[in-house]
Amino acid sequence: MLWIRLGVRELIKNRGFSLFFILNLSIGLAGFIAIHSFGRSLNRHLEDNLKEILTADLVLSANTDLTPGELHLADQVLGPDTTRARLISFYTMVKAGENARLIKVMAIDDPYPLYGEFALEGRGGKQEIQEWPGVLLTRDTAHALGVDKGDDVGTDAKMPLVLGRKTFYVHDFFQEDPDRSLTALELAPKIYMGIKQLEGTGLMGFGSRIRYYYYYRLGPGVDVPALTGTLRRAFDEKHQGQPRINVYDTRDVNQRLGRVTRYFTGYMGLVSVVALFLAGIATAYLFRGYLNLKQREMAVLMSIGATQWETALYMGCQLILLGSLAAVLAVMISLFLVPVFPFIFKGLIPDHLSLHLDPATIGLAVGMGMAGSLVFCLPVFVRIFGVKPLILLRGSREGGQRTLGRVLGQVMSFLPGVLAFSLVSVFVAGSVKNGMVFVAGFALALAFLGGMGWLIFSGCAYLSVTRNLVMKIAFRNLFRNKWSSLSCFVTIAMGAFLISIIPQIQKGLQTEIMRPEGLKIPVFFLVDIQEEQKNPFIEFMARKDADLINLSPMVRGRILTVNQKPFDGENLSQGSGRPRSGQRGRGRGKRLEFNFSYRKSLDDSETIVQGRALSETPWDFEAFVPFEISVEASFAERYGLSLGDIMGFDVQGIPMEGRVVNLRKVRWNSFQPNFFLLFQDGVLNDAPKTYLAAISQVAQEARQDLKNAIVNAFPNISVIDVTRMAGTLLTITDRLSLSIRFMAWLAIAAGLVSIFSIARHGAWKNANQVNLLKVLGADFNVIQGITLLEFGFIGFTAALFAVLLSLVFSRAVSWYLFDSLWEFDLLGSLVILLLTTGICMATAFMASRKVMNTKPVTLFSNTFDPGEI
């Protein structure tokens, strides 16, 4: 207890050191607590609301309606104690007045939803939409369609909506959509209608992209996963291993949404680890300075009988106490950070998400604070065991001769910190592979910045050879205090690196989405053009001031086999036709039906990366050779396809066989009609089909009129506004960029506290120099200029090399994840460079102002106490 009381007294006496140690470590811990509390709150929300998100216990879905035999099989497996609801969903155009817009039709029966409910504004219920053509929608959707004329709803409100060949009226507005997904971003707004009211619309023709859903609510105590597995096997047997029905339950929703949420929180969590690491660098530096000041006191303690272990306990208790206080402060800071996330992620997370600080995360953070303070400072802490009282009392600071054991101990002292950083990174990343990739990348960045910093501050010896007094003293100080300068350099550079790596990728994505190099983005993308509408539509567009491009046939079919082995729609190993080890799902992800097409020449957005072009000679049905297939490269990688593979197909009941002759790279951001599989000319020409197309070269003021004209002439054709879609994608990238920058600025905040701490300690170390300059007649501006030049130089060089490093890393990330969508953001880089330099100078000036204002008599009294700064 004696050593604890002594330690507490010392911390109170050196309250300046204690304050900055706690503040610095707390910022790093606060980011960790906030991010993980947010992630756990999001996961908890999803787990607690899985049935409401799915609106059922179990769902069957297919591209065509289920047959009576299939429904009877489902009833047999699931048992009598079930409730069933039905939904038909598809995209189409709705016309309100003179304006037409893409919407998502949700045609429901009366039992839907089985979990959750419509929160309607009006007096009536949703049953009425089954009997008459009324729709349910949100106020926002009504406003976008121009039918939100007042508070009244119904036929008397005179707000008609035309869908296909039928007129509907707004029956009511709902405040909460029962069909909830993770995000609020949709391709088009939803409109609910009675399933009986689909009759007469003419929207459900051949080839229309329609999805049929059957929702089941099971009795209490039923083993839903077991029934899901049984039903999948039953459909497998019924369809001889080629099921066309998707069966999934809440586990699949949780798996899918959990994967998305990990994308949201994973990167930010890794950035919080970086912020914590940077805070650790600063705390280690602060403790190093504090330990140097206390060496004489430790020598005195040892001289009066204290052992090295007791002295270590004396200092260790101080570190643990400081770490505990930092953890408490971090929890308090997190109380203000966590509520910020709903604003940052607005539109990317569920509404009404309740965020709370996670007790387990708080406990982990407290443990990290207590143990982390020791781990971070361990390379400095081990010096205590090399303290020689007699040498210290004689005035030496070397602490004795460096033996092999001491050097080995110093090296080993870094291992706990490296191990802790690696384990936390793996924990945050969610996998060993991703965690280790992050650690490796971080180590490379740290090594590069550390090496550059050492060269820069070593070169300051040459820069100090000048007649300018300010430059001479400033660069000499940087050279003489290389380690402290390097600590400051690395912390600021890593923070600036995290901030500057984002704009390069973001600008590349934005440029490629809006203006992909070498390609023209269409204005509209058209879906569900019927075969009998092809020629009339071509003639229709010929009379318009717009270009119809890439009119592409689309035939739906099934992949049966790959190299004579059943194709089950899961990840396959390269060319083997078998699932990859560890990749097999539970059956929910099986996809067997795909869209096929053919064209005589590739589009500008397509490039052959392997193999040869498809033959221009039409394939002969009487030939006994497989037709030729072109496969999109990422599709081939996903399903393990390679050149020469023989694939079996079922196209509208006709078995066919083809050979893969090339792999294509497709630039999907071109928003042109593209397909995973292209067949040789002559294979699909006579098959019933629909068409996709794009429209370009439409003036801004003529776009709505053209859209209205298409809907009037061809009500079944869906017109997707590509510019609106691109804007939605840019909104997503902006939101994600904002979240990442938020955490990067948290890392910068840790770096700024480090600057303040290092500048404060450096100012105290140079106090005698400052006072001596005053005695010799140097005015305040000279002394101030020395401080500003020192830390301005550190900030500028750190930001400069951070920006240069970010160019390399962002280029690599964009190549690996975003198909090389990268562009240098010159303006953003200049802003980061100048802002970082200015912040460093301002922070250092505030930290050293008290020293600069100290009276010169301090030099002679020698009573300057760093604990009072």
Side-chain angles (χ1 to χ4, degrees), residues 53-103:
I53 293 172
L54 187 62
T55 70
D57 290 312
L58 182 146
V59 179
L60 310 181
S61 69
N63 290 320
T64 56
D65 203 1
L66 272 65
T67 65
E70 291 167 336
L71 291 174
H72 179 67
L73 176 60
D75 292 338
Q76 282 185 319
V77 173
L78 299 179
D81 190 16
T82 62
T83 304
R84 186 173 74 192
R86 188 183 179 204
L87 181 147
I88 300 176
S89 176
F90 57 91
Y91 289 95
T92 189
M93 301 299 294
V94 62
K95 189 175 181 185
E98 296 300 322
N99 294 323
R101 181 170 179 174
L102 183 74
I103 53 98

Coordinates of all heavy atoms in Angstrom, one line a residue, residues 53-103:
I53 N -38.5 -8.3 -39.7 CA -37.8 -7.9 -40.9 C -38.2 -8.9 -42.1 O -38.4 -8.5 -43.2 CB -36.2 -8.0 -40.7 CG1 -35.8 -6.8 -39.8 CG2 -35.5 -7.8 -42.1 CD1 -34.4 -6.9 -39.4
L54 N -38.3 -10.2 -41.7 CA -38.7 -11.2 -42.7 C -40.2 -11.2 -42.9 O -40.7 -11.6 -44.0 CB -38.2 -12.6 -42.3 CG -38.4 -13.7 -43.3 CD1 -37.6 -13.5 -44.6 CD2 -37.9 -15.0 -42.6
T55 N -40.9 -10.7 -41.9 CA -42.4 -10.7 -41.8 C -42.9 -12.2 -41.8 O -44.1 -12.4 -42.1 CB -43.1 -10.0 -43.0 OG1 -42.9 -10.7 -44.2 CG2 -42.5 -8.6 -43.1
A56 N -42.1 -13.1 -41.4 CA -42.6 -14.5 -41.4 C -41.5 -15.4 -40.7 O -40.4 -14.9 -40.3 CB -42.8 -15.1 -42.8
D57 N -41.9 -16.6 -40.4 CA -40.9 -17.6 -39.9 C -40.1 -18.2 -41.1 O -38.9 -18.6 -40.9 CB -41.6 -18.7 -39.1 CG -42.1 -18.2 -37.8 OD1 -41.4 -17.5 -37.1 OD2 -43.3 -18.5 -37.5
L58 N -40.8 -18.4 -42.2 CA -40.2 -19.1 -43.3 C -40.8 -18.6 -44.6 O -42.0 -18.2 -44.6 CB -40.4 -20.6 -43.2 CG -39.9 -21.6 -44.2 CD1 -39.5 -22.9 -43.5 CD2 -40.9 -21.9 -45.3
V59 N -40.0 -18.5 -45.7 CA -40.5 -17.9 -46.9 C -40.1 -18.8 -48.1 O -39.0 -19.4 -48.1 CB -39.9 -16.5 -47.2 CG1 -40.3 -15.9 -48.5 CG2 -40.2 -15.6 -46.0
L60 N -41.0 -18.9 -49.0 CA -40.7 -19.6 -50.3 C -40.8 -18.5 -51.4 O -41.7 -17.7 -51.4 CB -41.8 -20.7 -50.6 CG -42.1 -21.7 -49.6 CD1 -43.1 -22.7 -50.1 CD2 -40.8 -22.4 -49.2
S61 N -39.9 -18.5 -52.3 CA -39.9 -17.5 -53.4 C -39.4 -18.2 -54.7 O -38.6 -19.1 -54.7 CB -39.0 -16.3 -53.1 OG -37.6 -16.7 -53.1
A62 N -40.0 -17.7 -55.8 CA -39.6 -18.2 -57.1 C -39.9 -17.2 -58.2 O -40.7 -16.2 -57.9 CB -40.4 -19.5 -57.4
N63 N -39.4 -17.4 -59.4 CA -39.6 -16.4 -60.5 C -41.0 -16.7 -61.2 O -41.4 -15.9 -62.0 CB -38.5 -16.5 -61.5 CG -37.2 -15.9 -61.0 OD1 -37.2 -14.9 -60.3 ND2 -36.1 -16.6 -61.2
T64 N -41.6 -17.9 -61.0 CA -42.9 -18.2 -61.5 C -43.7 -18.7 -60.3 O -43.2 -19.1 -59.3 CB -42.8 -19.2 -62.6 OG1 -42.2 -20.4 -62.0 CG2 -42.1 -18.7 -63.8
D65 N -45.0 -18.5 -60.4 CA -45.9 -18.9 -59.3 C -45.8 -20.4 -59.0 O -45.5 -21.2 -59.9 CB -47.3 -18.5 -59.7 CG -48.2 -18.3 -58.4 OD1 -47.6 -18.5 -57.3 OD2 -49.4 -18.1 -58.6
L66 N -45.9 -20.7 -57.7 CA -45.8 -22.1 -57.3 C -47.1 -22.8 -57.7 O -48.2 -22.3 -57.7 CB -45.7 -22.1 -55.7 CG -44.3 -22.1 -55.2 CD1 -43.6 -20.7 -55.4 CD2 -44.3 -22.3 -53.6
T67 N -46.9 -24.1 -58.1 CA -48.0 -24.9 -58.6 C -48.8 -25.4 -57.4 O -48.3 -25.5 -56.2 CB -47.5 -26.1 -59.4 OG1 -46.7 -26.9 -58.5 CG2 -46.6 -25.6 -60.6
P68 N -50.0 -25.9 -57.6 CA -50.8 -26.5 -56.5 C -50.0 -27.7 -55.8 O -50.1 -27.9 -54.6 CB -52.1 -26.9 -57.1 CG -52.3 -26.0 -58.3 CD -50.9 -25.7 -58.8
G69 N -49.3 -28.5 -56.6 CA -48.6 -29.6 -56.1 C -47.4 -29.1 -55.2 O -47.2 -29.7 -54.2
E70 N -46.8 -28.1 -55.6 CA -45.7 -27.5 -54.7 C -46.2 -26.9 -53.4 O -45.6 -27.1 -52.4 CB -44.9 -26.5 -55.5 CG -44.1 -27.1 -56.7 CD -43.6 -26.0 -57.6 OE1 -44.1 -24.9 -57.7 OE2 -42.6 -26.3 -58.3
L71 N -47.3 -26.2 -53.5 CA -47.9 -25.7 -52.3 C -48.4 -26.8 -51.4 O -48.3 -26.7 -50.1 CB -49.1 -24.8 -52.6 CG -48.7 -23.5 -53.3 CD1 -49.9 -22.7 -53.8 CD2 -47.9 -22.6 -52.4
H72 N -49.0 -27.9 -52.0 CA -49.4 -29.0 -51.2 C -48.2 -29.7 -50.5 O -48.3 -30.1 -49.3 CB -50.1 -30.0 -52.1 CG -50.6 -31.3 -51.3 ND1 -51.6 -31.2 -50.4 CD2 -50.2 -32.6 -51.4 CE1 -51.8 -32.4 -49.9 NE2 -51.0 -33.3 -50.5
L73 N -47.1 -29.8 -51.2 CA -45.9 -30.4 -50.6 C -45.4 -29.5 -49.4 O -45.1 -30.1 -48.3 CB -44.8 -30.5 -51.6 CG -43.4 -31.0 -51.1 CD1 -43.6 -32.4 -50.5 CD2 -42.4 -31.0 -52.2
A74 N -45.5 -28.2 -49.5 CA -45.1 -27.3 -48.4 C -46.0 -27.5 -47.2 O -45.6 -27.5 -46.1 CB -45.1 -25.9 -48.9
D75 N -47.3 -27.6 -47.5 CA -48.3 -27.8 -46.4 C -48.1 -29.1 -45.7 O -48.2 -29.2 -44.4 CB -49.7 -27.7 -47.0 CG -50.1 -26.3 -47.4 OD1 -49.4 -25.4 -47.0 OD2 -51.0 -26.2 -48.3
Q76 N -47.7 -30.2 -46.4 CA -47.4 -31.4 -45.8 C -46.2 -31.4 -44.9 O -46.3 -31.9 -43.8 CB -47.2 -32.5 -46.9 CG -48.5 -33.0 -47.6 CD -48.1 -34.2 -48.5 OE1 -47.1 -34.1 -49.3 NE2 -49.0 -35.2 -48.5
V77 N -45.2 -30.7 -45.3 CA -43.9 -30.6 -44.5 C -44.1 -29.7 -43.3 O -43.7 -30.1 -42.2 CB -42.8 -30.1 -45.4 CG1 -41.5 -29.9 -44.5 CG2 -42.4 -31.2 -46.5
L78 N -44.8 -28.6 -43.5 CA -44.9 -27.6 -42.4 C -46.0 -27.9 -41.4 O -46.0 -27.4 -40.3 CB -45.1 -26.2 -43.0 CG -44.0 -25.7 -44.0 CD1 -44.3 -24.3 -44.5 CD2 -42.7 -25.7 -43.2
G79 N -47.0 -28.8 -41.8 CA -48.0 -29.2 -40.9 C -49.2 -28.2 -41.0 O -49.2 -27.2 -41.6
P80 N -50.3 -28.6 -40.2 CA -51.5 -27.8 -40.3 C -51.5 -26.5 -39.5 O -52.3 -25.6 -39.9 CB -52.5 -28.8 -39.8 CG -51.7 -29.7 -38.8 CD -50.4 -29.8 -39.4
D81 N -50.7 -26.5 -38.5 CA -50.7 -25.3 -37.6 C -49.9 -24.2 -38.2 O -48.9 -23.8 -37.6 CB -50.3 -25.7 -36.2 CG -50.5 -24.6 -35.2 OD1 -51.3 -23.7 -35.5 OD2 -49.9 -24.6 -34.1
T82 N -50.3 -23.7 -39.4 CA -49.5 -22.6 -40.0 C -50.5 -21.6 -40.6 O -51.7 -21.9 -40.9 CB -48.7 -23.2 -41.2 OG1 -49.5 -23.7 -42.2 CG2 -47.7 -24.2 -40.7
T83 N -49.9 -20.4 -40.8 CA -50.7 -19.3 -41.4 C -49.9 -18.9 -42.6 O -48.6 -18.7 -42.6 CB -50.9 -18.1 -40.5 OG1 -51.5 -18.5 -39.3 CG2 -51.7 -17.0 -41.2
R84 N -50.5 -18.7 -43.8 CA -49.8 -18.4 -45.0 C -50.3 -17.0 -45.6 O -51.4 -16.7 -45.5 CB -50.1 -19.5 -46.1 CG -49.2 -19.3 -47.3 CD -49.4 -20.5 -48.2 NE -50.7 -20.6 -48.9 CZ -51.2 -21.7 -49.5 NH1 -50.4 -22.8 -49.6 NH2 -52.4 -21.6 -50.1
A85 N -49.3 -16.3 -46.1 CA -49.6 -15.0 -46.8 C -48.9 -15.0 -48.1 O -47.9 -15.8 -48.3 CB -49.1 -13.8 -45.9
R86 N -49.4 -14.2 -49.1 CA -48.8 -14.2 -50.4 C -48.5 -12.8 -50.8 O -49.2 -11.9 -50.5 CB -49.9 -14.8 -51.4 CG -49.4 -15.1 -52.8 CD -50.5 -15.6 -53.6 NE -50.1 -15.8 -55.0 CZ -50.9 -15.8 -56.1 NH1 -52.2 -15.6 -55.9 NH2 -50.4 -16.0 -57.3
L87 N -47.4 -12.7 -51.6 CA -47.0 -11.4 -52.1 C -46.4 -11.6 -53.5 O -45.6 -12.6 -53.8 CB -45.9 -10.8 -51.2 CG -45.4 -9.4 -51.6 CD1 -45.1 -8.6 -50.3 CD2 -44.1 -9.5 -52.4
I88 N -46.7 -10.7 -54.4 CA -46.1 -10.7 -55.8 C -45.4 -9.3 -55.9 O -46.1 -8.3 -55.7 CB -47.2 -10.8 -56.9 CG1 -47.9 -12.2 -56.7 CG2 -46.6 -10.8 -58.3 CD1 -49.0 -12.4 -57.7
S89 N -44.2 -9.3 -56.3 CA -43.4 -8.1 -56.4 C -42.7 -7.9 -57.7 O -42.2 -8.9 -58.3 CB -42.3 -8.1 -55.3 OG -41.5 -7.0 -55.3
F90 N -42.8 -6.7 -58.2 CA -42.1 -6.4 -59.5 C -42.0 -4.9 -59.6 O -42.7 -4.1 -58.9 CB -42.8 -7.0 -60.7 CG -44.2 -6.6 -60.8 CD1 -44.6 -5.4 -61.6 CD2 -45.3 -7.3 -60.2 CE1 -45.9 -5.0 -61.7 CE2 -46.6 -6.9 -60.3 CZ -46.9 -5.7 -61.1
Y91 N -41.1 -4.5 -60.5 CA -40.9 -3.0 -60.8 C -41.7 -2.7 -62.1 O -41.8 -3.5 -63.0 CB -39.4 -2.7 -61.1 CG -38.6 -2.7 -59.8 CD1 -37.9 -3.9 -59.5 CD2 -38.5 -1.6 -59.0 CE1 -37.1 -3.9 -58.3 CE2 -37.8 -1.7 -57.8 CZ -37.1 -2.8 -57.5 OH -36.3 -2.9 -56.4
T92 N -42.3 -1.5 -62.0 CA -43.1 -1.1 -63.2 C -43.2 0.5 -63.1 O -42.7 1.1 -62.2 CB -44.5 -1.7 -63.3 OG1 -45.1 -1.4 -64.5 CG2 -45.4 -1.2 -62.2
M93 N -43.8 1.0 -64.1 CA -44.0 2.5 -64.2 C -45.4 2.8 -63.7 O -46.4 2.1 -64.0 CB -43.8 3.0 -65.6 CG -42.5 2.7 -66.2 SD -41.1 3.4 -65.3 CE -41.4 5.2 -65.5
V94 N -45.5 3.9 -62.9 CA -46.8 4.4 -62.5 C -46.9 5.9 -63.1 O -45.9 6.6 -63.1 CB -46.9 4.4 -61.0 CG1 -45.9 5.3 -60.3 CG2 -48.3 4.9 -60.6
K95 N -48.1 6.2 -63.5 CA -48.3 7.5 -64.0 C -49.3 8.3 -63.1 O -50.4 7.8 -62.8 CB -48.9 7.5 -65.5 CG -48.9 8.8 -66.1 CD -49.4 8.7 -67.6 CE -49.4 10.1 -68.2 NZ -49.9 10.1 -69.6
A96 N -48.8 9.4 -62.6 CA -49.6 10.3 -61.8 C -49.7 11.6 -62.5 O -48.8 12.4 -62.6 CB -49.0 10.5 -60.4
G97 N -50.9 11.9 -63.0 CA -51.1 13.2 -63.8 C -50.3 13.0 -65.1 O -50.5 12.1 -65.9
E98 N -49.4 14.0 -65.3 CA -48.6 13.9 -66.5 C -47.2 13.4 -66.3 O -46.4 13.3 -67.2 CB -48.4 15.4 -67.1 CG -49.8 16.0 -67.5 CD -50.4 15.2 -68.7 OE1 -49.6 14.7 -69.5 OE2 -51.6 15.0 -68.7
N99 N -46.9 12.9 -65.1 CA -45.6 12.4 -64.7 C -45.6 10.9 -64.5 O -46.6 10.4 -64.0 CB -45.0 13.1 -63.5 CG -44.8 14.6 -63.7 OD1 -44.4 15.0 -64.8 ND2 -45.1 15.4 -62.7
A100 N -44.5 10.3 -65.0 CA -44.4 8.8 -64.8 C -43.1 8.6 -64.1 O -42.1 9.3 -64.2 CB -44.3 8.1 -66.2
R101 N -43.2 7.5 -63.2 CA -42.0 7.2 -62.4 C -42.0 5.7 -62.1 O -43.0 5.0 -62.1 CB -42.0 8.0 -61.1 CG -40.8 7.7 -60.2 CD -40.8 8.7 -59.1 NE -39.6 8.3 -58.2 CZ -39.2 9.1 -57.2 NH1 -39.9 10.2 -56.9 NH2 -38.2 8.7 -56.5
L102 N -40.7 5.2 -62.0 CA -40.5 3.8 -61.6 C -40.9 3.5 -60.2 O -40.5 4.3 -59.3 CB -39.1 3.4 -61.9 CG -38.8 1.9 -61.6 CD1 -39.3 1.0 -62.8 CD2 -37.2 1.7 -61.5
I103 N -41.7 2.5 -60.0 CA -42.1 2.1 -58.6 C -42.0 0.6 -58.4 O -41.9 -0.1 -59.4 CB -43.5 2.6 -58.2 CG1 -44.5 2.1 -59.2 CG2 -43.5 4.1 -58.1 CD1 -45.3 0.9 -58.8

